[in-house]
Amino acid sequence: MKSLGILLSGRGSNFVAIADSIDNGRIPDARIGVVISNQAAAPGIATARQRGLNALVIPSKGKPREEHDREVVAALKRENVQLVCLAGYMRLLSPWFVQQFPHRILNIHPSLLPAFPGLEAQEQAFAYGVKVSGCTVHFVDEELDHGAIIVQKAVPVLDSDDEHTLAARILEQEHIAYTEAVNIVLSENFEIVGRKLIKRILRER
Ligand code: GAR
């Protein structure tokens, strides 16, 4: 059974989507070993506790990045976590953190990367006037919102949208995309060639 570590800073709806997928068998043979928030007030950490999961707050405020990262990595390793899922974790990981879990850290971002990296991606896309947006699950590397792409989902931007309705349409797809991406990575049935993730099963056809 694979152990997942979830890192979050806020609402936690992507964490809940992953936890639901594990509970109903859409992500088979996995468990959540630990949920960690850098924010004590994150609603996602309260949800994790309600679900009876191992939930930790490791405050980041006022700590040098790597010092905080060392505490987080120690907690993940204590739980033998094999796959780290960033789910609205609003902190950059230090290169040291990334090196602890090579190709074993996933992030979800609410745009079709490489468009609109960084904060408030849905607002950025809406303000730019794109007609299609979406979400990306990718491996975390040492650059912001940059590593190899695992899954992307596109959604239309409607004339009737504002940034909130667009963000809600993207979020629905985020929840689907994250489960797909976790299954791809846990299957270990892929290789990464340059920036490209190639599923082995597709390649052999
Ligand atoms: C999600 O929309 C996620 O894609 C985004 O934060 C939100 C967290 O929601 N992440 C980023 O912008 C990372 N750059 P959630 O707490 O309900 O999962």
Side-chain angles (χ1 to χ4, degrees), residues 2-6 15 18-19 22 30-35 53-54:
K2 298 272 170 58
S3 175
L4 270 52
I6 308 274
F15 145 60
I18 294 168
I22 289 175
R31 57 186 283 272
I32 294 178
V34 64
V35 181
L53 294 168
N54 180 18

Side-chain angles (χ1 to χ4, degrees), residues 79-146:
E79 299 302 329
N80 292 315
V81 162
Q82 284 116 325
L83 183 65
V84 181
C85 297
L86 308 189
Y89 187 61
M90 297 317 215
R91 267 180 81 75
L92 272 178
L93 303 190
S94 62
W96 177 82
F97 190 145
V98 175
Q99 284 154 18
Q100 302 309 301
F101 294 94
H103 286 132
R104 285 286 175 271
I105 309 174
L106 311 191
N107 181 43
I108 188 150
H109 184 74
S111 75
L112 292 175
L113 289 171
F116 312 120
L119 292 175
E120 298 181 344
Q122 308 96 324
E123 287 83 346
Q124 291 185 54
F126 184 76
Y128 197 91
V130 295
K131 301 296 186 195
V132 177
S133 191
C135 63
T136 305
V137 185
H138 63 94
F139 286 110
V140 172
D141 67 8
E142 290 165 18
E143 290 176 52
L144 175 69
D145 296 330
H146 179 265

Side-chain angles (χ1 to χ4, degrees), residues 10-25:
R11 177 177 57 185
S13 74
N14 278 290
F15 145 60
V16 168
I18 294 168
D20 285 349
S21 288
I22 289 175
D23 287 353
N24 63 30

